């Protein structure tokens, strides 16, 4: 997708601190971390938001959710816990229109969100 910042990160056109990559997914560190660990997990195929998850190959959806606890373990946050976030649409606080999941951990996170 032209002009999508996350597609550009996947292609290496914009630098990012890569954490993990497979044929189907890309994981990198958020540029404005909201917790000591703040990763973004994205499918390589461009999908606008959670509203369009049905158009993602279920194998890729599964891969995303399978990799999350592995990333948590690698980053030392699996025991104390972490939060997985998807912001969808303007009311959900989505600012980048490429489906992504935030993995946040390393501090005690408050609830409810603002
Ligand atoms: P959201 O607000 O849920 O759409 O999340 C978008 C996230 O992308 C925000 O947490 C931003 O800090 C992050 N972000 C935006 N641009 C970049 C970038 N170039 N590299 C890494 N993270 C980014
Ligand atoms: Zn994209």
């Amino acid at each position: 997708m032209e002009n999508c910042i996350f597609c550009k990160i996947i292609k290496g056109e914009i630098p990012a601190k890569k954490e993990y990559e497979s044929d189907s997914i890309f994981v990198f560190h958020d540029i404005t971390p909201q917790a000591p660990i703040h990763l973004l997990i994205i499918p390589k195929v461009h999908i606008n938001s959670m509203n369009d998850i049905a158009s993602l190959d279920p194998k890729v959806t599964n891969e995303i959710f399978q990799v999350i606890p592995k990333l948590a373990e690698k980053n030392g946050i699996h025991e104390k816990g972490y939060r997985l976030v998807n912001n969808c649409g303007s009311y959900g606080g989505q600012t980048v229109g490429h489906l992504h999941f935030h993995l946040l951990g390393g501090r005690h996170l408050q609830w409810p969100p603002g």
Side-chain angles (χ1 to χ4, degrees):
M1 172 74 63
E2 232 177 288
N3 287 330
C4 170
I5 192 169
F6 286 179
C7 283
K8 286 182 179 168
I9 285 174
I10 292 163
K11 285 188 267 179
E13 293 171 8
I14 290 176
K17 193 177 166 201
K18 182 168 85 172
E19 171 75 14
Y20 173 79
E21 181 176 14
S22 74
D23 289 345
S24 309
I25 72 172
F26 197 89
V27 181
F28 56 105
H29 291 256
D30 198 293
I31 203 167
T32 312
Q34 301 300 317
I37 304 296
H38 188 169
L39 301 176
L40 297 173
I41 301 113
I42 66 176
K44 286 189 170 176
V45 61
H46 180 94
I47 286 178
N48 291 327
S49 81
M50 192 63 193
N51 283 339
D52 303 313
I53 191 92
S55 66
L56 188 62
D57 183 337
K59 283 187 197 144
V60 180
T61 308
N62 191 51
E63 186 185 341
I64 288 171
F65 285 95
Q66 293 288 331
V67 84
I68 284 161
K70 292 179 185 161
L71 293 166
E73 183 156 20
K74 189 178 162 220
N75 283 274
I77 59 173
H78 64 299
E79 275 183 19
K80 282 195 169 167
Y82 50 88
R83 186 170 295 167
L84 185 67
V85 172
N86 170 256
N87 297 326
C88 180
S90 61
Y91 269 27
Q94 185 175 5
T95 59
V96 176
H98 181 128
L99 176 67
H100 54 281
F101 295 94
H102 300 253
L103 177 60
L104 298 143
R107 69 172 172 87
H108 193 266
L109 299 163
Q110 303 302 308
W111 190 263

